[in-house]
């Protein structure tokens, strides 16, 4: 891109932000009725255009299971909107706080005020829900939104631009399109809050840019989320859950179990359970309508390279579809399990984001905990096994964004739970009341009463002041 084009883009982006901010300052915080109406029309429009959404995402992926789009994109958006509408009235009420006895009869309370203009940058892997869920939450909190979806999902991005332009004025919601350069420019704008969903490396540069303008950030990043098969776990159920969580969207899910930790003497049984589970989920392999493609050739090459690197360093690759990679179409990658993996392999160092499952063995639960803690804090952790010492240790001694016990992915769709990372997997949260709070300013207000004891501590000081101070020191 030439410097001239970039300057023009910068001018355009700043112009949108200025207009949104001016409208926010002019019109103030929207009331409950306006926020509810904004959410309702979004839900209606999304449901009315289900087919168009499925087609757009399918076009972006080359092939995306329509069921996955319904279950993992449309349903979470609708459920989030329903949850926000149900709770908004309660969250918008001033929250009474306690005051010390010597301030009675004054009052203290907290008001959640919209921040103003929120910037949202979203990724390609769930291009609809990861754009619309933060957008709906920011609107529920009374903000205006500038959204920059991913350039790697152009059909969905074009759809979002049309959809949101039909529903809202540009002063309320505006969609900006473009790749990394526009993204960098977007992240440099002086928003009132910036929410980013994407990779840890880009998240780092986003935070640096936001720091220049003291813009607070919510960073929803990735990482290596472990699945731990604890002592006494139901191996069949665990392998089915891990296969489902790993292979949904062909592994291109931020909270997919990245690798699995299994007790050494159970590794063979787990591998055979995993094979059976894959065969049950996708009986006709890559031809199955519900097995999704890899987003593009670059990611295909990246994933094949991960397998080759692991094989070269001593791993054993087990392909799960009959016929293996050779028979699979250009952008589909067969599920692969890797055994005999070690830490020097790239597959154990970077987030996989594809249908490859390293099986790591351990002897003692402390070893499994050490494997998790040797890496950046994960976005999710999955533990399989009943309540007991091992489970308690894992939950206490590891720190991850969220946890699901005896299943995978499901914490994500609990509307009332906060969702977000910690450390390398991000900061801040949306979903739950935490989402509403992320996009609000909690303004503490103290309202003095007409008759109060404040005068006792003002000059001229005297004996009464001394008695009052004695009371305060008590
Ligand atoms: P990405 O970081 O490459 O891109 C995300 C967004 O950032 C896109 O809109 C992109 O255009 C923009 N971008 C790229 N470079 C930029 C820059 N230098 N400055 C500003 N913006 C820039 O991520 P991706 O490949 O789209 O998504 C995959 C990653 O996202 C994985 O690491 C995955 O784990 C993570 N992810 C996290 C969550 C979560 O909720 N925590 C959800 C989905 C994906």
């Amino acid at each position: 891109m030439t410097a001239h084009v970039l300057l023009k883009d910068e001018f355009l982006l700043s112009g949108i932000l200025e207009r949104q901010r001016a409208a926010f300052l002019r019109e103030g915080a929207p009331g409950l009725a306006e926020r509810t109406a904004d959410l309702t029309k979004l839900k209606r429009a999304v449901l009315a255009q289900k087919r168009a959404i499925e087609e757009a995402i399918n076009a972006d992926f080359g092939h995306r299971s329509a069921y996955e789009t319904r279950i993992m994109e449309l349903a979470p958006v609708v459920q989030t909107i329903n949850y926000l509408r149900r709770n908004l009235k309660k969250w918008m009420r001033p929250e009474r706080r306690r005051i010390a006895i010597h301030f009675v009869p004054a009052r203290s309370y907290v008001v959640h005020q919209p921040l103003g203009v929120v910037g949202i940058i979203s990724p390609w892997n769930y291009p609809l829900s990861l754009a619309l869920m933060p957008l709906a939450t920011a609107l529920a909190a009374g903000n205006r939104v500038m959204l920059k979806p991913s350039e790697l999902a152009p059909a969905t991005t074009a759809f979002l631009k049309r959809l949101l332009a039909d529903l809202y004025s540009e002063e309320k919601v505006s969609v900006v399109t473009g790749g990394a350069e526009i993204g960098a420019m977007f992240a440099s704008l002086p928003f009132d809050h910036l929410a980013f969903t994407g990779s840890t490396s880009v998240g780092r540069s986003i935070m640096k840019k936001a720091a220049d303008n003291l813009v607070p950030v919510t960073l929803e990043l990735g990482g290596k989320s472990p699945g731990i098969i604890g002592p006494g776990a139901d191996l069949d159920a665990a392998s089915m859950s891990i296969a489902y969580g790993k292979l949904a969207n062909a592994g291109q899910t931020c909270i997919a179990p990245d690798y699995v930790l299994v007790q050494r003497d159970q590794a063979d049984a787990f591998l055979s359970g995993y094979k059976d589970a894959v065969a049950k989920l996708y009986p006709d392999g890559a031809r199955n309508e519900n097995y999704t493609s890899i987003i593009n050739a670059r990611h295909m090459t990246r994933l094949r390279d991960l397998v080759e690197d692991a094989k070269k360093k001593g791993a054993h690759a087990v392909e799960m579809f009959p016929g293996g990679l050779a028979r699979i179409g250009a952008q589909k990658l067969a599920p692969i399990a890797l055994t005999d993996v070690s830490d020097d392999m790239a597959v154990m160092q970077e987030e996989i984001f594809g249908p490859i499952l390293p099986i790591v063995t351990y002897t003692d639960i402390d070893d499994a905990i050490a494997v998790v803690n040797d890496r950046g804090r994960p976005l999710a952790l999955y533990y399989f096994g009943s309540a007991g010492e091992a489970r308690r240790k894992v939950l206490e001694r590891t720190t991850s964004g969220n946890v699901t016990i005896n299943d995978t992915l499901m914490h994500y769709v609990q509307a009332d739970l906060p969702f977000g990372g910690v450390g390398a997997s991000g900061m801040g949260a949306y979903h739950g009341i935490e989402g509403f709070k992320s996009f609000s300013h909690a303004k503490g207000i103290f309202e003095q009463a007409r008759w109060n004891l404040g005068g006792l501590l003002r000059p001229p000081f005297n004996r009464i002041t001394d008695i009052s101070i004695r009371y305060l020191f008590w």
Side-chain angles (χ1 to χ4, degrees):
M1 239 189 270
T2 65
H4 174 69
V5 174
L6 284 176
L7 259 179
K8 200 173 115 223
D9 287 329
E10 208 172 324
F11 184 69
L12 284 175
L13 298 193
S14 309
I16 301 170
L17 174 59
E18 271 166 34
R19 286 193 292 283
Q20 289 205 350
R21 180 161 288 138
F24 178 76
L25 294 175
R26 190 174 63 240
E27 291 168 26
L32 177 65
E34 183 177 340
R35 297 187 202 190
T36 307
D38 282 344
L39 293 172
T40 305
K41 64 183 175 188
L42 182 58
K43 173 179 164 178
R44 286 208 184 116
V46 162
L47 287 177
Q49 305 208 43
K50 284 197 293 282
R51 286 291 304 155
I53 291 168
E54 284 167 22
E55 279 162 19
I57 301 180
N58 191 49
D60 286 334
F61 275 79
H63 173 76
R64 157 69 96 76
S65 156
Y67 275 101
E68 284 183 351
T69 298
R70 278 169 222 157
I71 296 169
M72 299 171 92
E73 305 255 19
L74 291 159
V77 170
V78 170
Q79 292 298 313
T80 296
I81 292 176
N82 289 348
Y83 172 78
L84 291 167
R85 286 196 314 183
R86 260 199 317 274
N87 287 286
L88 206 43
K89 189 172 177 188
K90 181 173 71 201
W91 295 340
M92 286 174 71
R93 266 189 223 127
E95 211 180 281
R96 194 78 180 260
R97 294 295 171 98
R98 283 173 187 278
I99 54 167
I101 186 109
H102 47 281
F103 286 113
V104 172
R107 297 194 308 145
S108 276
Y109 48 94
V110 174
V111 170
H112 287 99
Q113 184 178 34
L115 291 163
V117 183
V118 172
I120 296 173
I121 302 180
S122 57
W124 54 264
N125 61 327
Y126 289 95
L128 184 94
S129 58
L130 293 176
L132 292 187
M133 286 162 74
L135 178 132
T137 312
L139 288 179
N143 299 284
R144 286 152 196 269
V145 176
M146 283 176 71
L147 168 70
K148 198 216 78 68
S150 173
E151 72 282 15
L152 297 188
T156 314
T157 294
F159 172 85
L160 284 169
K161 199 170 167 68
R162 277 196 310 276
L163 175 93
L164 296 169
D166 283 349
L167 294 178
Y168 306 107
S169 70
E170 192 215 42
E171 287 179 349
K172 184 167 270 183
V173 175
S174 176
V175 178
V176 169
T177 56
E181 277 176 335
I182 296 290
M185 213 177 269
F186 190 89
S188 305
L189 294 174
F191 290 113
D192 298 296
H193 191 95
L194 179 58
F196 168 79
T197 306
S199 57
T200 299
S201 59
V202 175
R204 221 169 249 134
S205 80
I206 297 275
M207 193 164 169
K208 280 190 194 143
K209 294 203 163 65
D212 284 341
N213 296 308
L214 288 180
V215 173
V217 288
T218 301
L219 299 178
E220 301 285 352
L221 311 177
K224 291 186 83 61
S225 298
I228 303 178
I229 316 285
D234 175 341
L235 268 190
D236 285 343
S239 25
M240 174 51 93
S241 281
I242 295 216
Y244 169 70
K246 182 66 167 181
L247 302 177
N249 209 26
Q252 302 160 107
T253 303
C254 56
I255 52 167
D258 185 277
Y259 61 100
V260 66
L261 283 151
V262 192
Q263 276 180 307
R264 183 151 295 139
D265 55 359
Q266 289 191 316
D268 290 343
F270 174 80
L271 180 59
S272 108
Y274 189 66
K275 265 188 202 161
D276 291 347
V278 174
K280 273 188 200 139
L281 290 170
Y282 308 103
D284 41 359
R287 278 175 298 278
N288 190 294
E289 272 299 293
N290 293 315
Y291 194 68
T292 291
S293 298
I294 301 300
I295 188 79
N296 60 24
R298 183 171 64 81
H299 278 282
M300 215 37 199
T301 307
R302 180 184 65 78
L303 290 165
R304 285 180 199 235
D305 288 351
L306 282 180
V307 176
E308 285 316 310
D309 171 75
K311 285 205 305 207
K312 231 184 280 158
K313 292 174 179 158
H316 182 57
V318 187
E319 281 176 17
M320 300 284 157
F321 286 165
L325 286 183
R327 284 228 230 127
I328 292 175
Q331 258 179 212
K332 285 202 181 178
L333 186 63
I336 295 173
L338 293 172
T339 60
D340 306 305
V341 291
S342 54
D343 277 355
D344 62 333
M345 300 170 182
V347 80
M348 285 310 295
Q349 292 163 5
E350 50 189 80
E351 180 183 10
I352 297 170
F353 224 54
I356 303 165
L357 181 74
I359 300 175
V360 183
T361 56
Y362 70 88
T363 35
D364 190 76
I365 201 69
D366 290 330
D367 304 336
I369 292 172
V371 172
V372 176
N373 288 340
D374 270 352
R375 293 163 172 75
R377 290 180 161 173
L379 184 59
L381 181 143
Y382 302 108
Y383 184 86
F384 294 85
S386 46
E389 179 62 9
R391 182 163 119 182
R392 188 190 56 74
K393 258 192 183 175
V394 169
L395 294 185
E396 268 179 30
R397 302 223 189 132
T398 61
T399 306
S400 57
N402 291 75
V403 169
T404 287
I405 297 171
N406 289 328
D407 206 348
T408 57
L409 313 187
M410 293 304 147
H411 60 274
Y412 182 76
V413 287
Q414 307 311 311
D416 207 26
L417 280 183
F419 175 80
V422 55
S425 57
M427 62 185 69
Y430 68 109
H431 301 200
I433 190 174
E434 287 78 5
F436 176 81
K437 288 188 174 176
S438 291
F439 295 126
S440 303
H441 168 55
K443 187 193 262 182
I445 300 179
F446 174 76
E447 189 179 329
Q448 185 60 286
R450 184 168 159 76
W451 304 106
N452 62 72
L453 300 176
L456 299 182
L457 295 173
R458 289 188 202 129
F461 298 123
N462 51 34
R463 219 169 58 78
I464 308 274
T465 316
D466 290 334
I467 294 169
S468 307
I469 289 176
R470 231 178 289 144
Y471 167 76
L472 286 178
F473 286 180
W474 183 46

